[in-house]
Amino acid sequence: MTELIAFGVLSFTTFFTIINPLGVMPIFMTMTSDLDKESRKATAKKAILASFVTIILFAFTGQILFKFFGISVNSFRVVGGIIFFLMGMDMLQARLGKVKVQESEIKTYVNDISITPLAIPMICGPGAITNAIVLMEDAGSVEMQAVLIGAIVLVMGITLTILLSAGKIIKLLGQTGNNVLMRLMGLIIMVIAIEFFLSGFKPIFQDIIAGR
């Protein structure tokens, strides 16, 4: 029982830290600022559903896919770090500006951004996918797998709640506050990106030096 609780806490904290709902929120706020309340809700729900399905899919099939394509987890971390760094740079410079959407295009726009970039790679990015694969590999029993899935559901629920509250936050912060928050989160994401990149590059570099 103690082992299950410890694994559950580990699963929740790692997924919550990597997904970082508060870091996703400024981008969601900016990209949906021209949408009405119902369209914004639809976007958030579709993004969360797509993220959940993707994470669960990779959790159960990731090792098979990695072996089939000859991809290492460290290579995944390097690519993830680069993606996060570029994303953080855009946020730091507040380049993710408002997107004007015509009323006739709202449905298509909602479908487009709910999958990319919100679901992939913002919510379900390389970090979350890698974490799911690694933790599922560590889950040695059906109970531990159930705990892992429960932790993912909990994090997704919290993320959805934060995104659904974004409309109130938009009004509270205003455009200036939104830009400040985006720059702050961008800086944090860039720092995480460097750590992510180095954690993947170091073992690859050591293998190269060793002549493997």
Side-chain angles (χ1 to χ4, degrees):
M1 188 66 181
T2 305
E3 185 181 4
L4 282 177
I5 294 174
F7 185 72
V9 171
L10 173 65
S11 300
F12 173 80
T13 52
T14 52
F15 270 110
F16 187 83
T17 303
I18 291 172
I19 291 175
N20 186 15
L22 294 176
V24 176
M25 186 183 64
I27 295 178
F28 177 79
M29 288 164 56
T30 303
M31 297 194 72
T32 62
S33 58
D34 277 350
L35 299 181
D36 58 45
K37 188 176 180 181
E38 291 305 315
S39 296
R40 192 179 293 122
K41 283 184 178 180
T43 303
K45 290 176 181 178
K46 287 179 181 179
I48 293 298
L49 179 60
S51 300
F52 176 75
V53 171
T54 303
I55 289 177
I56 294 298
L57 184 64
F58 271 97
F60 284 98
T61 66
Q63 289 291 346
I64 299 173
L65 290 174
F66 275 22
K67 289 176 183 177
F68 180 79
F69 289 108
I71 302 171
S72 70
V73 173
N74 290 323
S75 299
F76 213 60
R77 288 193 178 106
V78 169
V79 173
I82 294 172
I83 292 173
F84 284 156
F85 186 85
L86 295 175
M87 199 177 298
M89 185 176 294
D90 280 344
M91 291 176 68
L92 189 64
Q93 298 175 6
R95 286 209 297 247
L96 294 172
K98 281 188 175 182
V99 179
K100 297 295 181 182
V101 186
Q102 300 296 326
E103 190 172 344
S104 59
E105 300 173 345
I106 284 180
K107 187 175 181 180
T108 302
Y109 180 75
V110 168
N111 290 332
D112 287 346
I113 69 167
S114 61
I115 303 301
T116 305
L118 291 177
I120 304 169
M122 285 307 301
I123 299 174
C124 174
I129 292 173
T130 303
N131 194 50
I133 295 171
V134 172
L135 288 178
M136 185 58 76
E137 187 76 8
D138 294 339
S141 65
V142 175
E143 289 81 6
M144 292 181 77
Q145 291 179 354
V147 168
L148 174 59
I149 294 172
I152 295 171
V153 170
L154 182 57
V155 173
M156 288 298 169
I158 294 173
T159 305
L160 178 61
T161 301
I162 290 175
L163 295 185
L164 291 179
S165 303
K168 297 177 181 177
I169 299 172
I170 289 174
K171 293 179 181 178
L172 181 65
L173 293 179
Q175 187 60 42
T176 302
N178 188 22
N179 286 339
V180 170
L181 182 61
M182 195 186 336
R183 285 189 170 97
L184 178 61
M185 290 298 178
L187 182 61
I188 295 173
I189 288 176
M190 289 176 75
V191 173
I192 294 174
I194 295 296
E195 293 293 333
F196 211 68
F197 178 87
L198 292 177
S199 69
F201 180 76
K202 185 177 178 180
I204 292 176
F205 183 73
Q206 290 174 339
D207 286 346
I208 294 174
I209 296 298
R212 294 178 187 174

